Amino acid sequence: MDQSATQAVTETNDRPSTAPASLRVDHHAPDRLVLQRGIFTGPSAKVSDELYAVVKGRAHRERLELRLDKGASAHTNTYFGRFAASYWQRWTTVTEVRATMVLDVTNRACVRVVASDIAGHRRIIDTAEVTASGPLTLTAPLDQYVDGGALWLEFDAIGGELGISAQTWTSTAPDHVRPVAIAICTFNRAADCAETVAALASDAPILEAIDAVYVVDQGTDLVENQARFKETLPIFGDKLQYIRQPNLGGAGGFTRGLYEVSAVNEHADVILMDDDILCEPETVLRLNAFANMTVAPTLVGAQMLFLLNPDYLNVGAEEVHLHELKHGQKVPKALRNTSMLKKNQERRVDAGYNAWWTCLIPAEVVAKIGLPVPIFFQWDDVEYGIRAREHGFVTVTLPNAAVWHADFYWKDYDDWARYFSTRNSLIVGSLHADLDGKAITRQLFRNLAEHLVAMQYGLVHTTLQGIEDFMKGPKILRDGGIAALSAARTSRADYDETIKHPAATPPVRSADIQLRRAGGEPSRVTAVLIKRAIAQWTGRTQRGLVGVTREDAHWWHVSLFDHVVVTDASQSGVRVRRRDKARARALLIRTIRVLRRLRRELPILTKQYRAAMPELTSRENWERLYGIEPN
């Protein structure tokens, strides 16, 4: 390991890190800016090559090269192969792109630039018949794609073999290119984080484009101890900055990256990136290029593909419904849970915010609106996106730029994280909307009632805990969430149904479990909820031990019984729920009292949180949380 790498890895939370020189200055732009490269195979064998290019006939693929045998054909009308023409026309200064490549032609070949419209109809934009090896450039104007449509390439090896390499989509470059840093927040996922860092180092052009990588380690299983990380350090040299700090959640880890970079260069952009993703390095190039070409400073987010089902897209773009305390809502007409081997996103859908699995934050945003709110976990990315839009900065979730992240539906809803989701949704709603106390408490009561009849007493407790802490006011955020995390986790141990057991050895006799399947959702949901509540209260439930699969674990089904073994969403075990009238009664009384108080105090709490915002998001507050002595 060289000396610069050694110095980079010894950074701790007692002072700001020493930034590399390249992060401190803007860069001279080339004549043409590379917006996107032609990639023909993914970063892992888990990923289908057809997310990059579809081939008919015999061919050989490498990362940046495709070789077709005689008679074979290929196209890049694929997830990573398409150029998102609609997004580039709507949000950037680019009016024309060139598709350039180097061809190795043994006889004759045909290359086409093809476009789609909002309905997916195909049309040829430019074409070339090629009989000799060498470079080729085809041109496509960006003038008919406002509402939707994309560009891609098609190749035919007609008379012999055809090799395609060095394929890029380029545009006229801006007068300068901003420096960019990547900030990775990690907590006890050392091996995953080390692999993510290594993925960035594995691609030379990406490595050259990155001016700094900040690894913010908040755990006890340290990334710096990973052999993979130690191997990667010399490749980055002084570009890699390793920082250790207390566990302040995703908000604290990502904010540290924004804090460090904005202290060094007020013109540098920051790409926030999760530690546990499967990283597609090309996504970094595409986000950075897009951000350098936008008409106005823009938050540019990557999409999320599922890690366990790698061809499936989570959602095309998301928005938040503050008055319902709901985030992660699908933008109308956006794709959700869709195989990108079977369907393409033709329509342009505009995001309300982008989650921070990977998202670029422009320097102007940090300078204008400050740092994130120290709410530890969940809703921090939502709040920042909303606040940015209130100050005139939009978010674009860029298609064909993505990373793979753990599938959300494999995480059980009944978890300690529900505390932060509940508390933080109320905080963010109060900060950015005039919440209707009557409507909010009615909705919360409905949700809690469903959990009660489903015998999820720990979930009710965790949700109420989040509401109660919200009502303590901004002081609850004083320590950045450390105490709240401990309380949310430990208090759930009092509720047996929150404990996950091995499916083979549950705390009941397996022979007594009778599997019961659910019917369809009731047409009169409210009436059924009342009916189930009465049955649970009076004990007129079906006796015996019942097993319910995860897909059938709806409240209206589980509440039919008094003793249920439910498969955990992770498919790694089961949880056992049992009717407990005394506990249900105590939680119902607590629910009524808490919600009455919330309805009464919501207006004054809204004022308190809004008044505290400047201090909460200040550099001084974050320095205090990080333990950094002010200059």
Side-chain angles (χ1 to χ4, degrees), residues 263-285:
V264 172
N265 187 341
E266 62 182 5
H267 302 295
D269 297 335
V270 183
I271 298 177
L272 306 178
M273 182 177 286
D274 268 349
D275 56 347
D276 59 343
I277 58 171
L278 173 58
C279 177
E280 171 50 82
E282 173 68 11
T283 290
V284 172
L285 182 149

Side-chain angles (χ1 to χ4, degrees), residues 125 141 236 290 405 498 505 608:
I125 302 299
F236 279 103
F290 195 90
H405 186 281
T498 67
T505 56
Q608 290 175 358

Side-chain angles (χ1 to χ4, degrees), residues 71-296:
S73 63
H75 68 77
T76 63
N77 186 21
T78 62
Y79 183 81
F80 285 108
R82 289 158 64 92
F83 181 81
S86 178
Y87 287 74
W88 285 89
Q89 181 180 348
R90 171 63 180 88
W91 298 111
T92 77
T93 59
V94 177
T95 58
E96 181 184 81
V97 291
R98 294 178 187 171
T100 63
M101 66 211 76
V102 175
L103 301 180
D104 182 8
V105 181
T106 59
N107 190 307
R108 186 163 64 94
C110 180
V111 181
R112 294 177 293 276
V113 174
V114 185
S116 63
D117 59 19
I118 194 170
H121 299 137
R122 174 183 179 274
R123 66 183 186 276
I124 296 175
I125 302 299
D126 199 1
T127 186
E129 295 284 339
V130 185
T131 57
S133 299
L136 173 68
T137 298
L138 299 176
T139 302
L142 296 186
D143 57 357
Q144 292 180 303
Y145 305 93
V146 173
D147 287 337
L151 296 167
W152 64 88
L153 293 170
E154 295 180 349
F155 307 97
D156 295 319
I158 299 173
E161 292 186 356
L162 170 63
I164 307 111
S165 61
Q167 194 268 301
T168 59
W169 296 89
T170 68
S171 72
T172 302
D175 57 3
H176 67 278
V177 173
R178 293 168 173 238
V180 64
I182 293 177
I184 302 173
C185 168
T186 186
F187 176 77
N188 288 349
R189 286 175 171 151
D192 290 340
C193 185
E195 288 298 330
T196 297
V197 174
L200 296 171
S202 69
D203 193 314
I206 303 302
L207 180 64
E208 183 180 355
I210 300 169
D211 295 291
V213 174
Y214 289 85
V215 176
V216 183
D217 196 338
Q218 303 184 128
T220 54
D221 179 14
L222 301 181
V223 178
E224 65 179 337
N225 294 335
Q226 293 287 314
R228 186 76 164 129
F229 187 71
K230 294 176 181 178
E231 294 169 3
T232 306
L233 272 172
I235 302 174
F236 279 103
D238 70 349
K239 284 186 176 183
L240 198 149
Q241 306 290 307
Y242 182 82
I243 301 172
R244 291 182 58 191
Q245 67 181 31
N247 182 21
L248 296 168
F254 287 128
T255 298
R256 185 62 182 266
L258 296 172
Y259 169 87
E260 295 284 352
V261 175
S262 59
V264 172
N265 187 341
E266 62 182 5
H267 302 295
D269 297 335
V270 183
I271 298 177
L272 306 178
M273 182 177 286
D274 268 349
D275 56 347
D276 59 343
I277 58 171
L278 173 58
C279 177
E280 171 50 82
E282 173 68 11
T283 290
V284 172
L285 182 149
R286 297 181 186 186
L287 298 185
N288 195 36
F290 195 90
N292 272 281
M293 299 303 295
T294 52
V295 174

Side-chain angles (χ1 to χ4, degrees), residues 38 117 131 220 225 258 298 303 329 338 340 361 368 396 509 550 577:
D117 59 19
T131 57
T220 54
N225 294 335
L258 296 172
T298 302
Q303 293 184 332
Q329 301 302 294
T338 301
M340 302 314 291
I361 310 294
K368 180 77 172 179
V396 172
R509 287 204 327 169
R550 177 69 184 96
R577 306 183 198 174

Side-chain angles (χ1 to χ4, degrees), residues 33-106:
L33 183 67
V34 176
L35 311 180
Q36 180 171 315
R37 296 179 300 174
I39 307 292
F40 300 107
T41 189
S44 167
K46 298 177 181 178
V47 175
S48 171
D49 284 340
E50 293 199 348
L51 286 173
Y52 294 84
V54 173
V55 176
K56 292 184 179 180
R58 296 181 60 183
H60 173 73
R61 299 175 189 252
E62 294 182 12
R63 177 74 170 161
L64 298 172
E65 184 175 354
L66 177 64
R67 190 157 199 91
L68 304 176
D69 284 2
K70 178 181 177 180
S73 63
H75 68 77
T76 63
N77 186 21
T78 62
Y79 183 81
F80 285 108
R82 289 158 64 92
F83 181 81
S86 178
Y87 287 74
W88 285 89
Q89 181 180 348
R90 171 63 180 88
W91 298 111
T92 77
T93 59
V94 177
T95 58
E96 181 184 81
V97 291
R98 294 178 187 171
T100 63
M101 66 211 76
V102 175
L103 301 180
D104 182 8
V105 181
T106 59

